[in-house]
Amino acid sequence: MMNAVLVGCGAMSKAWLDAARQIDGLAIVGLVDLDAERARARAREYGLDSVVIGTSLDQVLDQTKPQAVFDVVVPAARRDVAFSAFAHHCHLLTEKPLADTPENARAIVDAARQAGRVHAVVQNRRYVANVRRIRRFLDSGAIGKPTSIHADFFVAPHFGGFREEMAHVLLLDMAIHTFDAARYMVGGDPAGVFCQEWEPANSWYRQGSSASAIFDLGGGKVFTYAGSWCAAGFRTSWESTWRIVAEHGSLLWDGEDGLKAEVVLSVRDGLFDLTQPITVPPLDPADRIGGHLGIIKDFIHAIETGSEPETRGSDNIKSLAMVFGAIESAETGRRVAITQEAS
């Protein structure tokens, strides 16, 4: 049996609690929120009648002594939550982003290492079935090594709350999903970025709802990202739409069920090489999927076996470095080198 305390009982906590109640041997023993009534309401909603409710994480951890903390707080509070968790010898699974600044990200990763605790980030798009299929397909060499990766994200949600007031809202709160997926699917290590942000006249966000970025992912791989959180009409998938160009063909993914690839033939018709469709194989039994459910299971498995979770903080900080590099580029108008952190 593993006991966990969840801190941050806002809307996102529902995805965590929905997943947690599907895992045998996992018990939520505490709920923490600055608004105690919100925590009590979440406890009633999920039938958590015996959990400890509180507004202080330290006090709830002292009372419950769990093995793990689930962090679902706003990014600005993440460092304090992490330090409290490690001080109480807890493993930590945190909502993305890992932190709100590069300095806080490094401090959290260093604190986890010093405490000897498992620390992972809910980078749940890695656990999307087609993301797994694309990575395996590209690794097979069926269309050669990827060279150009293109992702478009155009969604127009009216969240209300902190997102509509935060700076760099698209890059800091959402784009990391796409950046991390790109890095994972093509095995890229970010080396540099040029990015521009803007605020369209139709936007209801304070700053940074639209952005375009070009990343150097190393090894001759270039990743372009175009995104907006205020582009109503012709909405893309939350997973973005993708075109991956490789040495001997291309792959298209609509971010949902539409996944197809073509391979170049050794025949040319006029100006163009002929191509033919090639099947992207189905999931392998070893592929871990399931969004929050898959992430939490992977986290628990790492604790139980002493292995490292795929989305460990010491690796995820590379995806976060893409976000902060893009923000710095947007602020300065210059290309920014991305410093690699050891995994």
Side-chain angles (χ1 to χ4, degrees):
M1 174 66 71
M2 180 170 295
N3 294 338
V5 166
L6 183 145
V7 52
C9 296
M12 185 56 70
S13 67
K14 292 170 65 67
W16 289 68
L17 294 171
D18 286 339
R21 64 183 176 185
Q22 299 179 58
I23 301 175
D24 294 335
L26 173 63
I28 302 298
V29 296
L31 293 176
V32 179
D33 196 278
L34 294 176
D35 182 347
E37 182 50 43
R38 182 161 56 186
R40 282 190 284 270
R42 196 66 82 215
R44 291 192 296 269
E45 180 180 359
Y46 283 86
L48 300 173
D49 301 327
S50 60
V51 300
V52 175
I53 303 292
T55 58
S56 166
L57 176 59
D58 287 326
Q59 291 178 4
V60 172
L61 293 179
D62 284 337
Q63 189 169 347
T64 58
K65 294 179 170 52
Q67 289 80 43
V69 170
F70 292 164
D71 168 7
V72 201
V73 301
V74 296
R78 194 140 289 147
R79 174 173 172 155
D80 289 343
V81 167
F83 281 20
S84 291
F86 299 143
H88 287 81
H89 310 292
C90 294
H91 304 284
L92 177 65
L93 180 61
T94 180
E95 189 58 61
K96 60 81 195 164
L98 188 161
D100 60 336
T101 68
E103 296 76 19
N104 282 341
R106 287 191 290 269
I108 292 170
V109 170
D110 288 344
R113 184 182 296 114
Q114 292 169 11
R117 300 291 89 183
V118 174
H119 170 231
V121 181
V122 175
Q123 209 66 67
N124 55 316
R125 265 59 174 193
R126 281 202 183 198
Y127 289 67
V128 171
N130 279 336
V131 170
R132 297 296 194 186
R133 292 175 65 199
I134 291 170
R135 169 64 183 258
R136 191 174 294 279
F137 176 72
L138 293 175
D139 282 352
S140 76
I143 57 174
K145 296 179 181 179
T147 61
S148 306
I149 305 94
H150 308 280
D152 289 339
F153 176 85
F154 294 97
V155 181
H158 291 267
F159 288 112
F162 74 93
R163 286 183 180 86
E164 294 188 3
E165 296 300 323
M166 67 186 290
H168 310 292
V169 60
L170 179 65
L171 291 173
L172 190 57
D173 193 62
M174 185 64 201
I176 190 170
H177 284 305
T178 312
F179 296 174
D180 183 74
R183 190 169 71 85
Y184 170 74
M185 289 191 292
V186 304
D189 281 323
V193 60
F194 180 81
C195 179
Q196 182 176 357
E197 283 181 312
W198 66 98
E199 205 56 48
N202 57 295
S203 174
W204 49 93
Y205 295 87
R206 183 176 71 83
Q207 194 274 325
S209 68
S210 300
S212 180
I214 304 172
F215 289 93
D216 175 0
L217 289 185
K221 296 185 288 288
V222 172
F223 167 49
T224 70
Y225 170 83
S228 175
W229 247 356
C230 62
F234 302 107
R235 184 170 71 234
T236 66
S237 163
W238 284 93
E239 318 309 333
S240 301
T241 60
W242 296 79
R243 177 187 290 264
I244 299 177
V245 181
E247 295 171 309
H248 309 302
S250 292
L251 176 145
L252 295 179
W253 180 37
D254 66 1
E256 297 175 341
D257 296 328
L259 178 58
K260 57 187 179 181
E262 289 186 345
V263 64
V264 174
L265 301 176
S266 56
V267 179
R268 183 166 296 169
D269 182 10
L271 295 175
F272 301 102
D273 292 323
L274 296 182
T275 61
Q276 70 177 18
I278 182 173
T279 300
V280 180
L283 280 172
D284 187 275
D287 290 329
R288 298 188 300 277
I289 59 173
H292 279 76
L293 179 61
I295 291 268
I296 296 173
K297 285 183 174 180
D298 197 21
F299 175 71
I300 293 172
H301 176 76
I303 294 171
E304 293 175 342
T305 63
S307 60
E308 288 189 319
E310 180 176 319
T311 60
R312 61 193 178 277
S314 57
D315 178 75
N316 185 255
I317 198 170
K318 295 179 182 179
S319 297
L320 190 60
M322 295 174 71
V323 172
F324 290 128
I327 289 172
E328 182 180 347
S329 176
E331 290 180 338
T332 63
R334 299 193 303 269
R335 183 188 184 277
V336 170
I338 297 176
T339 302
Q340 292 296 299
E341 300 285 346
S343 63

